[in-house]
Amino acid sequence: MSLRPRGVGLMIDLELRQRVRTVRWYIALGIWFLLLTGMSVLIGLASMWLGTGSVFGDDLRLAGAIVFSASVLLLIFAMLLVIPAMSSAAINGDRADGTLATLQATLLSPLEIVVGKVLAGWITGLAFLVAALPSVVPAALLAGASPFYVARVIAMIAALTLCITAIGVGLSSLTNRPLGSVVLSYLVVLGTTTILPIVFACAAPFVVWKHEVTVYETEYTSGSMDAGRCVKTQEVRDVVRTDLLMPLLWLNPFVIVADTAPQIPIGQDDIGPGDIDALRGISTLVRYLAHPTHPSHFVECWDTEAEGYPKDLEQPWTLPVWPMGLGAHALVAAGAVAVATYRIKAPVRRLGTGTRIA
């Protein structure tokens, strides 16, 4: 099975020409830009109205962080709506139009056809991603976010776009009707973003184990509640082993993107307004769920300056979870490409009822 760069390039050029020559492409891109930019502006105005932002000072950084994280989450949600619709008719749509047989009769190999369609769909998705940057980058600059932080988020969204595009192309080869593959793609999106987290929450009560843990509690030596010291005790407590359920969250695109964000420096006094946003909150929560038995979970002394406060505990976010999630997506995407390549091989021994050849 050959995979020549020239053949893939010809397939990409053909796919992009078919997409760009229609006016609907430009209308969709314009609506996309206006929608995301308008939503970011509304989020920013709401933050200012609620008093989290001001014309000067650190409060403006907090408003920028809120707008940036909310815009990224909105962008992920919008991409999950657009990408399946664009890629899930790549093969059965051409088969219904009678153009797939023409491609199969050329010197292009099935792998070149599939890879060309995947990359063309990915480039289309990147165009929508670039159009969304004006709604994300200004808020990131306002929040004082690190350029590497913003770059990681954008790169992760681009990588997920490639994987979702490949999965959509693979599903389009399994069904005869474009509507069927589009529905399957949205079911996959629904499963990873909604159903699996619900299963995670429902399964949590069934993985409660007893563990002997070190607990840090405040002990008041006088009748006053204003002063106390942090004491260490050994207790046996019920611990929800959420680490055993983490694979259910690995495929969630929101978790994957958010896990690339820096964690909130809990327990430190130098937390700035730009250090708190929704992405960092999700990332910190996921790292805590991945290490439910870590000693920092059982620090119940709220005063960090109290005598005996455990300041030498390491934070439970040493191991990221996004590599497993992205790796799982990449594995499924590679399988989808393999299935699609097999499904468009010619000659075909068996066709479904009503399947059009040319």
Side-chain angles (χ1 to χ4, degrees):
M1 188 67 65
S2 62
L3 183 62
R4 299 164 299 171
R6 177 175 174 79
V8 175
L10 289 174
M11 194 65 218
I12 294 175
D13 181 68
L14 177 62
E15 287 287 310
L16 292 179
R17 286 179 182 274
Q18 291 179 343
R19 296 172 187 266
V20 176
R21 70 183 180 182
T22 61
V23 181
R24 291 178 297 178
W25 156 261
Y26 299 100
I27 295 177
L29 203 60
I31 294 176
W32 170 270
F33 170 78
L34 293 176
L35 177 63
L36 292 182
T37 303
M39 290 297 295
S40 298
V41 172
L42 289 177
I43 294 172
L45 293 176
S47 300
M48 302 288 286
W49 179 263
L50 294 175
T52 58
S54 61
V55 180
F56 302 102
D58 289 338
D59 286 343
L60 193 58
R61 290 190 59 193
L62 178 58
I66 294 175
V67 175
F68 169 68
S69 58
S71 299
V72 170
L73 294 176
L74 178 64
L75 173 60
I76 299 171
F77 177 75
M79 293 290 282
L80 292 176
L81 291 179
V82 173
I83 299 303
M86 293 191 304
S87 62
S88 298
I91 293 179
N92 50 21
D94 284 356
R95 182 180 287 120
D97 295 336
T99 58
L100 181 61
T102 303
L103 291 174
Q104 292 173 309
T106 65
L107 296 179
L108 294 174
S109 68
L111 183 58
E112 291 170 351
I113 296 174
V114 173
V115 173
K117 285 181 175 293
V118 170
L119 293 181
W122 184 46
I123 294 173
T124 304
L126 292 181
F128 280 87
L129 178 59
V130 171
L133 292 183
S135 66
V136 175
V137 175
L141 296 176
L142 191 64
S146 169
F148 297 103
Y149 172 21
V150 180
R152 287 198 305 269
V153 169
I154 296 175
M156 188 58 65
I157 295 177
L160 286 175
T161 300
L162 176 60
C163 294
I164 295 173
T165 301
I167 294 172
V169 173
L171 292 175
S172 70
S173 68
L174 295 177
T175 60
N176 295 330
R177 306 290 181 182
L179 179 60
S181 55
V182 170
V183 171
L184 287 177
S185 297
Y186 281 123
L187 286 177
V188 171
V189 171
L190 179 66
T192 57
T193 58
T194 305
I195 296 178
L196 289 182
I198 292 176
V199 174
F200 177 91
C202 294
F206 299 98
V207 290
V208 178
W209 293 358
K210 290 188 179 296
H211 281 269
E212 183 177 357
V213 296
T214 302
V215 182
Y216 294 87
E217 298 177 312
T218 302
E219 181 182 77
Y220 297 96
T221 57
S222 62
S224 175
M225 299 294 291
D226 298 332
R229 62 190 184 93
C230 198
V231 296
K232 180 173 63 174
T233 59
Q234 295 294 125
E235 297 182 10
V236 177
R237 289 192 175 184
D238 291 333
V239 178
V240 182
R241 294 296 304 273
T242 51
D243 55 324
L244 302 177
L245 303 176
M246 287 305 298
L248 296 175
L249 299 181
W250 286 353
L251 291 176
N252 192 306
F254 296 97
V255 172
I256 295 174
V257 175
D259 194 55
T260 61
Q263 284 69 57
I264 298 175
I266 298 176
Q268 300 182 14
D269 299 329
D270 56 347
I271 300 179
D275 294 333
I276 302 176
D277 61 45
L279 295 178
R280 293 188 176 196
I282 295 174
S283 179
T284 304
L285 175 62
V286 169
R287 299 294 178 89
Y288 268 90
L289 292 176
H291 302 80
T293 59
H294 195 275
S296 61
H297 284 278
F298 307 98
V299 178
E300 300 174 0
C301 302
W302 302 108
D303 186 5
T304 58
E305 301 299 327
E307 178 186 354
Y309 187 88
K311 296 184 178 181
D312 57 343
L313 293 180
E314 296 181 356
Q315 299 296 333
W317 45 60
T318 54
L319 295 177
V321 299
W322 67 262
M324 283 75 77
L326 185 60
H329 271 276
L331 185 62
V332 175
V337 171
V339 170
T341 302
Y342 174 78
R343 293 280 294 179
I344 67 171
K345 281 184 177 180
V348 181
R349 293 184 177 182
R350 181 179 300 176
L351 289 174
T353 303
T355 301
R356 179 175 180 176
I357 300 179

